[in-house]
Amino acid sequence: MPRRKKKKHRQQGDVELNLAAMLDMAFQLLAFFVLTFQPAPIEGYITLRMPPPQPTTKQGASSSANSSVDVGAALDSLMVTVTAGADGDIGSIRIEESAPVPNLTDFEKTMTGMLSVPGATVEQVVLQVGGTLKYENLVRLLDVCSHIKLADGKTLDKLSIVELPNSAP
């Protein structure tokens, strides 16, 4: 009788996965997304849709935010108009109906001189800003305004921002 061969039963162990191929693919995907990612400019991330300013007026005072009144009188709101240049930088800064101020340093000096006068009752500054002004320049302007000292020694803490009419991009 012929002899039968015994089949060798191999014991099947754990299957080993080749992780090198998966790691290569993961790094290729990571490199692809890192190299093709193009973030939007910072102005695109922050939308400034603020409510319209509400001037603070004292009882009995009849001044509006748009009227030009002597600062020593009962003026509660001060209008500052900021226009944007072609590149989004600050073009000009005008306080009420005065001549334009060329830069932020002169603006701070002028505002400090106006608001530190005893008897000046400005409680709020309304910033009318051009729609094409870059956000970083608006933040610099707000920073300057927030450091201005009033006649009583307090800092100016009531600021409103509105977009200039007909300045949308």
Side-chain angles (χ1 to χ4, degrees), residues 33-41 45:
F33 286 115
V34 166
L35 294 175
T36 59
F37 179 67
Q38 293 179 347
Y45 285 13

Side-chain angles (χ1 to χ4, degrees), residues 156-167:
L156 181 64
D157 59 353
K158 294 181 182 176
L159 295 168
S160 296
I161 304 169
V162 292
E163 188 174 356
L164 276 172
N166 301 325
S167 67

Side-chain angles (χ1 to χ4, degrees), residues 88-155:
D89 290 336
I90 295 174
S92 69
I93 305 170
R94 183 181 299 269
I95 303 168
E96 289 289 330
E97 299 297 324
S98 65
V101 182
N103 55 35
L104 284 175
T105 306
D106 291 340
F107 170 70
E108 184 174 16
K109 288 177 185 174
T110 305
M111 288 289 287
T112 302
M114 290 175 72
L115 299 179
S116 63
V117 174
T121 58
V122 174
E123 294 179 7
Q124 172 179 317
V125 172
V126 178
L127 298 172
Q128 286 186 326
V129 181
T132 58
L133 185 71
K134 288 184 180 176
Y135 181 72
E136 64 188 53
N137 294 320
L138 178 61
V139 170
R140 287 180 25 218
L141 184 68
L142 290 172
D143 186 50
V144 166
C145 288
S146 66
H147 287 91
I148 295 174
K149 299 279 186 191
L150 298 174
D152 58 1
K154 296 179 182 176
T155 57

